[in-house]
Amino acid sequence: MEAGTTTAPPMGMPPAADAESVTLDGPKDIEAGDNDGGQFFEVAAAVGKELRTLSPYDIAGGMRTLGQGIKDSATNNLTEGRDAFKALNVRDGMAGFTESANARQLIKAPLGVAQGLMALLFFTLFCIIFYPAKYGPPLAAKVNEKAIQPGWAVAKEKVVDPLMVKAGPLIEQGKSKINEVLASKGVGVQQQVTEEEDNL
């Protein structure tokens, strides 16, 4: 009787706590509509709800830890793959090549390259999330204080205020014209009578 084997969690990832085992209740005919994926959507919604509780620093820390773990694996695999390629015997023809080739070791070279690209992706995500979260708000406050507010004050003084001064008489003329039109229709007169009655 063989002893039960245990699988270690991937490098860089903490082991799952109190993970529940999933029992399959037999195959279901998805094409016949026996399984519409309802359980999947429930679990995905629950996971999404939990993920929304993470801060940018939590996510950035996770990306960095994953990237570091995968980078270490990539370094090991690239080293072993490089050594396997160096050990290939190409001088003695096909027989020497076949005898010296270790497929398991050789495959680690392209695997290491792929892992290196994945590590680069995680480190990029870390930079995209962490640095704006850390330096973005103070930088935005400084830009607002040093550039936007003074710029708006200058624009208000040089452009908006003179325009308002010049537009003041035009606005008053427009108001008087509107009052004349309303008075000709009896609207302004009725409003004035109503206001006088209210004052009495």
Side-chain angles (χ1 to χ4, degrees), residues 73-86 88 102-117:
S73 296
T75 302
N76 293 335
N77 285 329
L78 283 170
T79 301
E80 293 180 16
R82 181 199 62 197
D83 293 342
F85 273 103
K86 283 183 176 179
L88 288 175
N102 185 340
R104 273 191 188 173
Q105 296 298 319
L106 290 172
I107 199 66
K108 288 185 177 182
L111 177 61
V113 172
Q115 288 176 322
L117 293 174

Side-chain angles (χ1 to χ4, degrees), residues 99-200:
E99 184 179 346
S100 62
N102 185 340
R104 273 191 188 173
Q105 296 298 319
L106 290 172
I107 199 66
K108 288 185 177 182
L111 177 61
V113 172
Q115 288 176 322
L117 293 174
M118 285 181 60
L120 179 62
L121 172 64
F122 282 119
F123 283 126
T124 303
L125 290 173
F126 162 75
C127 294
I128 290 173
I129 295 168
F130 176 74
Y131 290 110
K134 183 175 182 180
Y135 299 108
L139 184 62
K142 283 289 183 187
V143 169
N144 184 44
E145 178 186 351
K146 300 291 185 184
I148 296 176
Q149 288 181 353
W152 168 246
V154 170
K156 185 175 183 297
E157 180 184 351
K158 300 288 186 184
V159 179
V160 177
D161 290 344
L163 280 177
M164 291 304 296
V165 170
K166 291 181 180 179
L170 295 175
I171 294 172
E172 290 300 324
Q173 287 179 8
K175 285 182 180 178
S176 63
K177 289 288 185 185
I178 292 172
N179 287 334
E180 288 176 9
V181 171
L182 293 176
S184 67
K185 296 185 179 291
V187 176
V189 176
Q190 181 66 31
Q191 182 179 2
Q192 185 176 358
V193 170
T194 304
E195 290 177 354
E196 290 177 355
E197 290 178 352
D198 290 341
N199 293 332
L200 295 175

